[in-house]
Amino acid sequence: MHQLPKLLDNNRRWAAERVTGDPTFFTRLTNQQAPGFLWIGCSDSRVPANEIVGLDPGELFVHRNVANLVVHTDVNCLSALQYAVDVLKVGHVIVCGHYGCGGIRAAMDGTAHGLIDNWLRHVQDVQRSHRAELSGLAGDQARIDRLCELNVIEQVRNVGRSTIVQDAWKRGHPLELHGWIYGLKDGLISDLRIQMSDLK
Ligand code: CO
C-alpha cells in the first residue's frame, strides 16, 4: 500500500508537466479522441504500447491481453476492434507480440498453470499447426521466439477474418493490418511484413 501514494504523486507531476508544455492538452483530449491506430498487444509490463512507439494519449487505441491473442469468440477484444474500426475509423490495426513472452513460454512448457491454460490453448493451436517448422529449430529458446512470431502472424489473420474487418473492407474502408514483434533485449520493434489490406 505504501507504494500507491507515489503513483498518485507521479500522476500529479505528469499532469502538471503536460500542461506546462501544452496548455490545451487535456481540454483537447476531453472533447474527442482521434487515434489513427489500434494496438493489440501483450499485457506484459515490459511492453508499454504508447511509450515504445512514442505516441501521446489520444493517438493509440489499445487492447492488451496475455500473449496478444485475437480469439473469434472473445467479445472483449472484438468490441475494442469494432469500436476502433467502425467508430474511430482507424487506418491501421497492429498486432504486436514480443520475444520472451511468458504466455508463449507457458503454452509450450507442458506443465499445468490453472485457468490460464484454457486461454493458452489458442497458442498451442498455433504451435500445433506449425509443428514441423518448430521441431526443426535447435533449442527451446529458438522455438519459443519463433512461436512468438508465428503467433503474431496467426492473430493478424484472425483480425483479417473477423466480420468487423471483412465488412470494413467491403465498404471500401482503407484498413491495413500489421504484425510486429518487440525485442525485450534492445527495445526495438521488427515488422514481420504480413500486411493485409484487402479481402484475403
Ligand atoms: Co507476453
Side-chain angles (χ1 to χ4, degrees):
M1 277 300 282
H2 64 283
Q3 292 175 320
L4 292 182
K6 181 177 160 228
L7 301 191
L8 297 175
D9 286 346
N10 288 349
N11 166 255
R12 280 186 279 272
R13 193 176 322 115
W14 172 79
E17 284 168 2
R18 292 311 305 223
V19 290
T20 300
D22 181 356
T24 63
F25 182 74
F26 290 111
T27 42
R28 273 203 322 276
L29 287 177
T30 304
N31 294 329
Q32 69 161 23
Q33 63 165 336
F37 317 92
L38 167 63
W39 175 279
I40 300 173
C42 184
S43 298
D44 194 304
S45 65
R46 298 166 294 181
V47 194
N50 281 66
E51 199 169 333
I52 62 176
V53 289
L55 290 180
D56 274 335
E59 296 183 323
L60 190 67
F61 197 69
V62 173
H63 175 81
R64 291 168 70 180
N65 61 43
V66 172
N68 42 270
L69 295 175
V70 177
V71 176
H72 294 304
T73 52
D74 177 10
V75 177
N76 184 352
C77 181
L78 294 180
S79 298
L81 179 62
Q82 184 185 19
Y83 191 74
V85 171
D86 290 352
V87 180
L88 298 173
K89 304 201 184 306
V90 299
H92 303 268
V93 178
I94 300 157
V95 177
C96 186
H98 66 103
Y99 294 117
C101 181
I104 303 288
R105 188 185 306 273
M108 292 184 95
D109 72 9
T111 63
H113 313 88
L115 180 145
I116 197 170
D117 287 336
N118 297 286
W119 182 248
L120 297 178
R121 291 277 177 242
H122 298 290
V123 177
Q124 291 171 341
D125 289 343
V126 176
Q127 180 183 8
R128 191 165 51 252
S129 53
H130 297 276
R131 190 176 297 284
E133 179 187 346
L134 290 166
S135 63
L137 297 173
D140 285 347
Q141 195 56 52
R143 277 190 283 276
I144 290 170
D145 284 346
R146 183 57 182 152
L147 185 55
C148 289
E149 295 175 349
L150 292 168
N151 182 56
V152 168
I153 293 166
E154 291 294 334
Q155 306 319 311
V156 172
R157 290 189 181 138
N158 289 346
V159 172
R161 284 195 289 254
S162 69
T163 54
I164 299 153
V165 170
Q166 289 285 317
D167 290 347
W169 282 335
K170 280 179 201 156
R171 292 195 304 269
H173 179 160
L175 180 65
E176 291 184 17
L177 313 184
H178 312 271
W180 291 357
I181 190 152
Y182 175 80
L184 295 175
K185 289 177 184 163
D186 57 12
L188 296 176
I189 292 170
S190 305
D191 186 345
L192 293 171
R193 302 196 175 281
I194 43 161
Q195 287 94 336
M196 294 171 68
S197 56
D198 50 27
L199 298 167
K200 282 176 184 157

